Amino acid sequence: MPRFCRMEKRYYLVKLIAFFLMRCYNEFDNFFRRTSIMISQGERNVRTVKNMYSGAGEVVIESLLGANELNEKCGLFARVTLAKGCELGYHTHHGETETYYILSGRGIYDDNGVKLSVNAGDVLFCRDGCGHAISNTGDESLGFIALIIKG
Ligand code: MN
């Protein structure tokens, strides 16, 4: 048992050191790098979430920036795609806001309980403490940019 505890302590110490070194590296990189970063399409993280917030179908989320670039100031900067009939279910935001910028398609946006018809070009701002949902009610896919600002 004492042997196991020692191993466990060592494991947490290694994890802590690794975390600290990563943070130092990120800070160093953000401070000293004086060039822009290009993140090509193939390099971006894309994930598919089924029944997101109990919505029908699936949501494809393509991160436009990674955690390093968001630098804990932003929660998310992504391109979201909902195929025909898919929806991102109702959820609320606390300690942050979320903006959707509709790029293509048409849908219904639930603005804290009020349903709005949305099209390409519309900007929807969900205030801190409010809730929203969006569903694709058109024939083509619904694409939008999602930005979560913390604080
Ligand atoms: Mn949201």
Side-chain angles (χ1 to χ4, degrees):
M1 190 65 185
R3 197 186 174 90
F4 174 75
C5 287
R6 258 205 306 278
M7 285 293 284
E8 205 168 49
K9 269 184 198 159
R10 203 170 299 164
Y11 170 73
Y12 283 116
L13 191 67
V14 166
K15 245 179 107 170
L16 193 72
I17 291 168
F19 176 76
F20 179 72
L21 288 175
M22 276 305 293
R23 283 301 302 265
C24 284
Y25 173 76
N26 289 347
E27 290 298 318
F28 181 86
D29 200 44
N30 286 334
F31 189 79
F32 288 103
R33 201 200 278 246
R34 284 291 171 262
T35 56
S36 296
I37 303 169
M38 184 169 88
I39 306 159
S40 304
Q41 195 157 26
E43 298 170 350
R44 297 195 289 262
N45 179 273
V46 182
R47 63 196 163 102
T48 302
V49 184
K50 287 192 197 305
N51 306 118
M52 193 169 180
Y53 299 113
S54 306
E58 57 187 38
V59 179
V60 179
I61 303 167
E62 178 189 359
S63 296
L64 298 176
L65 291 178
N68 209 11
E69 291 75 47
L70 297 174
N71 204 19
E72 292 175 21
K73 291 170 184 161
C74 256
L76 177 82
F77 181 50
R79 182 187 175 121
V80 183
T81 308
L82 299 179
K84 185 181 176 181
C86 290
E87 53 192 27
L88 196 164
Y90 191 84
H91 61 282
T92 52
H93 286 272
H94 301 282
E96 61 188 26
T97 65
E98 184 166 30
T99 303
Y100 288 169
Y101 172 48
I102 311 296
L103 299 171
S104 61
R106 56 206 292 101
I108 299 291
Y109 179 85
D110 184 332
D111 178 25
N112 220 26
V114 178
K115 303 275 199 295
L116 300 169
S117 184
V118 294
N119 296 292
D122 291 334
V123 171
L124 305 140
F125 181 73
C126 180
R127 294 174 204 278
D128 185 4
C130 293
H132 64 172
I134 189 164
S135 56
N136 183 353
T137 53
D139 291 324
E140 53 173 313
S141 72
L142 175 68
F144 59 94
I145 299 290
L147 171 71
I148 294 178
I149 299 173
K150 293 185 180 184

